[in-house]
Amino acid sequence: GGDFYNSGKGWSPIGTDSSSSFSGTFDGNGYAIKNLYININSSSSVCAGLFGYSAGTIENLGMIDSDISVSVSSGSYSYVGGIAGRVDGSVVNCYNTGNISSYSDFSNYGSSAKFYAYAGGIVGAALGTVKNCYNTGNVSANDNLGPAYPSAGGIVGVVLLGPGSITDCYNTGNISAKRNAGGILGGRTGTGIV
């Protein structure tokens, strides 16, 4: 697509929200995708990765040297991951070696605003299952004010309300966040199991 593909935003993630999520099965068959680029600055909520929002199954896939970054200025959240932004289904036998970042910009909003920046090497936000995955890339989640709760995890940024699980995974990448950072999981709002 070149420098001007998708107005400079790079790859357009598969599945954008719960009403248009990916719901099938994607089997990478052990192959990898190299140099995937996403750079989104948005005034609304964003789910970004190879897949934006998945309620299906993603398996046997690698992401090599990707560069995925999202900044939101008035949306309620940004979920960013190497494989998927948000997963309600499952991600199995996948890996990421690229850089992932999620950022919330509060420049024009008061302290009562609540935006959420979540980033994970594999999945930004999970309500489903992440199994047998690893990350070696850098992951960061930040904001410029404070009411938000940026969370970054080597595998998953945040496990959402519900029974999400992370099993048999590892991370060797650098993880940073203004509030919550973890080698495997950045934060948890539900009953998820690691």
Side-chain angles (χ1 to χ4, degrees), residues 14-61:
I14 301 167
T16 55
D17 54 37
S18 59
S19 63
S20 62
S21 63
F22 173 76
S23 59
T25 297
F26 182 90
D27 187 346
N29 201 28
Y31 286 94
I33 295 171
K34 190 172 183 179
N35 297 324
L36 184 82
Y37 172 77
I38 297 174
N39 183 15
I40 297 174
N41 292 293
S42 177
S43 60
S44 59
S45 297
V46 174
C47 295
L50 176 64
F51 293 83
Y53 197 122
S54 174
T57 299
I58 304 165
E59 57 190 7
N60 306 318
L61 176 66

Side-chain angles (χ1 to χ4, degrees), residues 86-189:
R86 174 167 169 166
V87 167
D88 291 357
S90 63
V91 176
V92 182
N93 297 328
C94 293
Y95 67 89
N96 171 63
T97 71
N99 298 319
I100 311 297
S101 69
S102 180
Y103 183 80
S104 288
D105 183 356
F106 289 84
S107 299
N108 298 316
Y109 297 89
S111 61
S112 63
K114 291 189 176 181
F115 305 154
Y116 301 94
Y118 299 126
I122 302 299
V123 174
L127 189 64
T129 300
V130 180
K131 185 175 181 179
N132 295 334
C133 294
Y134 72 88
N135 172 67
T136 63
N138 299 320
V139 182
S140 66
N142 288 290
D143 67 53
N144 65 346
L145 186 58
Y149 298 93
S151 295
I155 301 300
V156 176
V158 64
V159 171
L160 298 171
L161 292 171
S165 66
I166 304 169
T167 308
D168 297 328
C169 296
Y170 73 90
N171 167 66
T172 63
N174 297 316
I175 312 303
S176 64
K178 189 172 182 180
R179 294 286 179 95
N180 306 311
I184 298 296
L185 175 64
R188 182 179 71 168
T189 64

